Amino acid sequence: QRILMRGQAATRCIWEALAMGEERAVKNMDLSAFDWHSSHDSFGSPLHAILFGKLIVSHDEESDTNELNNGFDDLINADHAERNARLELLRFAMRSGADPHIVAPKQCDVSRWWGGERGGDSMKPISFAGRSAFECLLAAKRSIKLKTQDPSDDADWTDELKAVDEAVDILSRPCCTSPTVPVHEDVVATWETVLDDSSFADVTIRVVPATGSDSPCRGITNGGSVQDNLEDASLDVVEVRAHSAVLGAASSVLKAMLSTQGMKEGAQRAIEVTDTSVQTVRLLLSLVYTGSIWATGSDEEEPSFATLLQALDLAHRWQLLHVVQLLEQAGARRIDAETFEAAYDVALRLELPKLLAACRSFATAPKMLSKARLAARGNASTVTAAVRADLEALLNFEGDGSAASNAGTGHATKRRRRLL
């Protein structure tokens, strides 16, 4: 009982320190048992606490002045030093696995606005219940931007908007939030050997190459135009060997396919994959077996973005959940002007929050607004209806503040590996 109470007290201290922006204290605490994906009736989520302080206060904590935030302050009200501490704490929380899409509980049914003597009474308040920290942050930005557009308001909100913009960048930046464990290199090498050795493989994956228009990542190529991509693709069916025990352990979908004699895959011990490339399947298997991609010698190259998106589509279809996470994070890091439309489509279709957040963030960057507006109007041939609709809602949201968010014999050559 005493140990339990001590643990509960320690957890309360962590929440309080997060809400007060105590960066050094939080980093010095024992966070091994703290759940960065948790929610709290008074603080929302860990990211709510860092950004907005304590949302719900007890009667003895209540203050008559909203701006004081009952002694907890927040990112917007904080002074320069505390603001920087909160932003660094936000980065630390994201690296620790905090999720910006965890919503605040219904108990956090409270609104907040800013300004006080600067005319805050006329500022549009934001609410927290049922909304994620990211949504609340964007709502706060809209509220402040609307206030700056008020001709009767002469207050300077430059520093506040700069801090909010930096926080938005931190939350929208993809990061690896999946739990990881250190693995000895020889363990990965063993699984590479298993993948390469077809003598014990008992499943054949027949790969029928993509034909272009039916590809799940149409409009994205392996480094060139769509036509170049088609010319480079082989139309021959390629067979790749794998192990049913590994595939079944990684995917309940594949396990069902291969263990059911009434299904063609189970009876023939073969899986046919259409409209994709052999490079896609090999990338997928490398991630299933080793969690990394690899190459021999010095010819190592990143998988093309088309290959990555095809692998993401196939991993999602087969419910290879850890592979989906790896590929989603890798794709989000590689969004640029040539890839964001196809990535946007995949993110919407497969409902991938990290990839979608990266696409939306890229689309609303100043250098991309013109292209995004053209795409929203249907002036880009590769933009799907779903992307066009989301872009239109997103750009309206940016413009007027309306809501829209949401891996034989002799010595083997040593391979160099890397994570995606």
Side-chain angles (χ1 to χ4, degrees):
Q1 182 70 21
R2 185 179 301 172
I3 295 176
L4 176 61
M5 293 178 62
R6 185 180 184 277
Q8 292 173 340
T11 300
R12 288 197 300 270
C13 286
I14 295 173
W15 282 107
E16 297 270 342
L18 289 172
M20 294 175 66
E22 296 288 342
E23 176 200 355
R24 183 178 299 180
V26 172
K27 290 182 176 180
N28 287 337
M29 289 176 172
D30 179 6
L31 303 172
S32 58
F34 185 72
D35 184 2
W36 289 97
H37 286 80
S38 60
S39 60
H40 193 286
D41 291 350
S42 297
F43 295 98
S45 73
L47 296 182
H48 282 96
I50 296 170
L51 291 168
F52 302 108
K54 194 171 185 179
L55 306 183
I56 301 295
V57 297
S58 58
H59 289 296
D60 60 335
E61 293 175 312
E62 287 183 351
S63 165
D64 293 331
T65 307
N66 174 75
E67 188 181 21
L68 293 176
N69 197 13
N70 304 293
F72 282 92
D73 248 334
D74 56 34
L75 179 70
I76 296 171
N77 275 328
D79 60 25
H80 179 74
E82 183 180 334
R83 193 170 285 153
N84 287 339
R86 286 183 180 269
L87 290 171
E88 181 55 37
L89 196 50
L90 200 64
R91 296 185 186 94
F92 175 77
M94 291 292 287
R95 291 195 300 268
S96 299
D99 187 344
H101 305 292
I102 298 292
V103 301
K106 62 181 180 181
Q107 290 85 350
C108 296
D109 187 15
V110 66
S111 298
R112 182 175 300 170
W113 63 93
W114 293 268
E117 72 281 357
R118 296 194 286 181
D121 290 343
S122 62
M123 180 176 284
K124 182 178 180 180
I126 71 168
S127 58
F128 298 97
R131 306 181 77 183
S132 69
F134 208 165
E135 289 177 294
C136 295
L137 183 64
L138 292 173
K141 179 178 179 178
R142 293 196 301 272
S143 180
I144 296 174
K145 287 180 67 175
L146 287 172
K147 188 63 178 175
T148 62
Q149 294 166 8
D150 183 353
S152 64
D153 180 64
D154 58 357
D156 184 4
W157 294 90
T158 303
D159 291 341
E160 288 83 353
L161 282 174
K162 183 179 179 181
V164 170
D165 283 338
E166 189 167 350
V168 168
D169 182 64
I170 294 169
L171 295 191
S172 62
R173 192 179 303 147
C175 67
C176 181
T177 60
S178 302
T180 59
V181 294
V183 178
H184 195 282
E185 185 177 13
D186 288 346
V187 174
V188 180
T190 297
W191 283 102
E192 285 181 351
T193 303
V194 173
L195 177 58
D196 287 343
D197 187 358
S198 62
S199 60
F200 291 100
D202 58 348
V203 174
T204 299
I205 302 177
R206 298 193 182 105
V207 184
V208 182
T211 58
S213 60
D214 294 328
S215 171
C217 55
R218 59 189 178 277
I220 284 296
T221 70
N222 287 321
S225 67
V226 172
Q227 184 61 38
D228 293 336
N229 195 46
L230 293 177
E231 291 174 354
D232 290 342
S234 169
L235 297 180
D236 295 332
V237 175
V238 179
E239 295 187 345
V240 180
R241 301 282 285 166
H243 306 78
S244 60
V246 177
L247 298 181
S251 162
S252 58
V253 173
L254 294 177
K255 182 177 182 179
M257 291 167 60
L258 295 170
S259 62
T260 305
Q261 290 300 310
M263 298 183 69
K264 180 178 67 174
E265 294 84 359
Q268 299 179 1
R269 312 300 287 171
I271 302 171
E272 185 172 290
V273 182
T274 59
D275 294 323
T276 191
S277 67
V278 67
Q279 291 87 354
T280 296
V281 174
R282 293 193 188 283
L283 170 61
L284 192 72
L285 291 177
S286 181
L287 291 169
V288 169
Y289 280 71
T290 71
S292 64
I293 57 176
W294 52 265
T296 301
S298 59
D299 298 329
E300 190 172 9
E301 296 180 356
E302 287 285 334
S304 70
F305 201 77
T307 298
L308 191 149
L309 288 187
Q310 286 183 348
L312 184 51
D313 191 85
L314 188 56
H316 189 273
R317 190 189 320 166
W318 286 346
Q319 291 295 288
L320 294 160
L321 301 182
H322 76 283
V323 177
V324 170
Q325 291 179 348
L326 291 170
L327 290 167
E328 182 185 7
Q329 292 157 8
R333 289 194 297 268
R334 293 173 59 179
I335 301 297
D336 59 28
E338 298 302 319
T339 63
F340 97 96
E341 290 170 5
Y344 212 143
D345 180 62
V346 171
L348 287 170
R349 180 162 48 83
L350 303 184
E351 299 181 350
L352 304 172
K354 293 183 177 65
L355 185 59
L356 182 58
C359 291
R360 286 172 172 167
S361 178
F362 185 82
T364 55
K367 64 180 180 181
M368 278 299 298
L369 279 177
S370 296
K371 183 173 181 177
R373 290 192 179 102
L374 289 174
R377 297 188 191 111
N379 293 6
S381 60
T382 59
V383 178
T384 64
V387 171
R388 188 176 300 120
D390 197 79
L391 274 174
E392 184 177 6
L394 181 68
L395 294 176
N396 287 338
F397 152 79
E398 287 290 323
D400 62 16
S402 60
S405 176
N406 294 77
T409 59
H411 296 287
T413 305
K414 186 172 180 63
R415 290 166 172 167
R416 293 184 288 115
R417 308 174 196 87
R418 64 185 182 280
L419 299 177
L420 271 175

